[in-house]
């Protein structure tokens, strides 16, 4: 029996590669974070600075910039469920805010997270927290049960401006979509999925934005396989393996220290993506 997941839920995660829904926070707390997101992360892309340097988006690793986001990724209900599947020493490797505006054509093709993170072994788990309703109509995440058991599959770039991934990378094998299962979440609920689980999401046909946060948690024993030393955030337990430089928690909203930490972390990630091309997908 885990802290949040019972034995049957843990068994389903091992068998199917995902478990859902899990109650994380109240609808009221989710709405408060939703408003924080709209206030702080409205820009999908940051402008180029006067020096010609691309600025990191606030939608990537916002927990390094904003105390409310730092609290979110450390919420005990989320960490307890993550601990149930990867153990007590937990780092955050990456986080992306997924924002599909109402009535837009953006979609995410079938893919495996493991393809572009450059991590070994494949023990990363994504917690996907809904801040607005994630439904069939709004383009919820859809997962293929048991697909994580096939190991790492080949992927190819897909040139389509509607794809919500930087290179449009998608799995290069046929997917049995009839077996896919939608992950339906209400604000405050979250799901967990394995790094090798095939998943996708359709366009948002609803009249409301679909907003959720994908948080990539890894056990501290996992390492990045590229030559660049990356950073990560310790959110529970100990960092006994020292595979990453530890990131500082923001003390004030997007202050100078927080912006420096954020820029350093994303900058290292951009450098690493040049040596591991698949990583470019998550910029």
């Amino acid at each position: 029996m885990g802290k949040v997941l019972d034995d049957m839920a843990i068994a389903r995660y091992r068998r199917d590669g995902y478990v859902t829904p899990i109650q994380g926070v109240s609808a009221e707390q989710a709405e408060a974070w939703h408003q924080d997101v709209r206030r702080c992360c409205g820009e999908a892309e940051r402008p180029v600075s006067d020096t010609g340097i691309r600025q990191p988006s606030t939608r990537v690793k916002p927990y390094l910039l904003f105390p409310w986001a730092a609290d979110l990724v450390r919420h005990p209900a989320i960490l307890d469920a993550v601990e149930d599947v990867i153990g007590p020493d937990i780092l955050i490797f990456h986080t992306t805010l997924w924002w599909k505006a109402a009535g837009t054509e953006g979609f995410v093709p079938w893919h495996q997270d493991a393809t572009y993170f450059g991590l070994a072994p494949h023990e990363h788990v994504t917690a996907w927290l809904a801040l607005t309703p994630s439904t069939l109509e709004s383009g919820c995440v859809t997962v293929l049960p048991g697909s994580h058991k096939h190991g790492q599959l080949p992927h190819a770039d897909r040139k389509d401006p509607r794809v919500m991934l930087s290179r449009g990378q998608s799995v290069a094998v046929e997917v049995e979509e009839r077996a896919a299962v939608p992950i339906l979440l209400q604000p405050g609920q979250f799901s967990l999925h394995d790094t090798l689980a095939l998943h996708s999401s359709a366009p948002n046909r609803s009249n409301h934005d679909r907003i959720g946060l994908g948080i990539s948690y890894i056990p501290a024993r996992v390492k990045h396989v590229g030559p660049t030393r990356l950073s990560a955030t310790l959110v529970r337990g100990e960092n006994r393996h020292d595979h990453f430089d530890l990131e500082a928690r923001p003390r004030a909203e997007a202050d100078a220290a927080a912006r420096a930490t954020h820029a350093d972390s994303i900058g290292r990630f951009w450098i690493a993506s040049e040596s591991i091309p698949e990583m470019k997908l998550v910029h």
Side-chain angles (χ1 to χ4, degrees):
M1 179 71 72
K3 292 184 173 182
V4 169
L5 306 179
D6 60 23
D7 292 342
M8 291 184 62
I10 295 171
R12 286 198 303 273
Y13 180 84
R14 305 296 183 205
R15 180 192 69 205
D16 297 334
Y18 73 99
V19 61
T20 188
I22 307 167
Q23 190 62 48
V25 299
S26 67
E28 292 76 15
Q29 177 62 79
E31 177 58 22
W33 284 335
H34 173 210
Q35 294 306 318
D36 284 329
V37 163
R38 288 191 174 277
R39 179 174 55 84
C40 298
C41 307
E43 291 180 308
E45 298 294 337
R46 298 294 298 279
V48 174
S49 71
D50 294 339
T51 61
I53 299 174
R54 177 174 44 163
Q55 301 299 295
S57 170
T58 57
R59 296 189 183 184
V60 178
K61 289 197 169 188
Y63 61 90
L64 296 180
L65 288 169
F66 310 112
W68 61 264
D71 291 339
L72 188 162
V73 298
R74 290 170 171 83
H75 195 280
I78 300 175
L79 291 182
D80 285 349
V82 170
E83 181 175 339
D84 288 344
V85 296
I86 67 171
D89 298 328
I90 303 173
L91 297 168
I92 299 177
F93 177 72
H94 201 73
T95 295
T96 299
L97 181 67
W98 294 101
W99 189 328
K100 284 185 188 175
T104 54
E105 296 297 318
F107 71 96
V108 178
W110 288 102
H111 69 283
Q112 297 168 301
D113 293 342
T115 310
Y116 47 78
F117 276 136
L119 299 173
H122 289 148
E123 296 181 6
H124 148 227
V125 58
T126 295
W128 204 100
L129 175 70
L131 299 180
T132 63
S134 189
T135 64
L136 283 171
E137 188 181 21
S138 67
C140 65
V141 174
T142 301
V143 65
L144 190 64
S147 54
H148 64 303
K149 296 181 179 179
H150 301 307
Q152 180 63 60
L153 299 171
H155 285 62
D157 290 356
R158 178 174 178 173
K159 294 184 178 180
D160 187 330
R162 300 172 300 165
V163 173
M164 297 176 69
L165 302 172
S166 64
R167 280 172 33 214
Q169 190 170 340
S170 58
V171 69
V173 299
E174 187 174 351
V175 176
E176 186 59 47
E177 295 193 25
R178 292 177 299 177
V181 176
I183 296 180
L184 308 177
L185 298 170
Q186 289 301 307
Q189 294 180 326
F190 68 98
S191 62
L192 299 178
H193 68 258
D194 185 274
T195 188
L196 290 169
L198 280 169
H199 58 290
S200 66
S201 66
N204 184 355
R205 305 300 188 193
S206 74
N207 60 4
H208 66 83
D209 292 358
R210 192 221 65 172
I211 300 175
L213 193 67
I215 313 167
S216 298
Y217 293 101
I218 58 174
R221 59 182 170 272
V222 166
K223 63 182 179 180
H224 177 247
V225 299
T228 303
R229 185 171 173 87
L230 300 183
S231 61
T233 291
L234 181 68
V235 290
R236 178 167 289 184
E238 300 180 54
N239 182 37
R240 289 173 287 189
H241 300 272
D242 193 34
H243 293 317
F244 301 90
D245 290 337
L246 297 184
E247 299 160 336
R249 180 171 182 155
R251 294 187 176 184
E253 194 164 282
D255 66 4
R259 293 197 305 272
T261 297
H262 185 248
D264 174 70
S265 177
I266 303 303
R268 296 191 203 196
F269 202 86
W270 286 341
I271 292 171
S273 72
E274 298 305 317
S275 58
I276 302 178
E278 290 81 357
M279 287 184 65
K280 293 180 181 178
L281 182 59
V282 295
H283 288 180

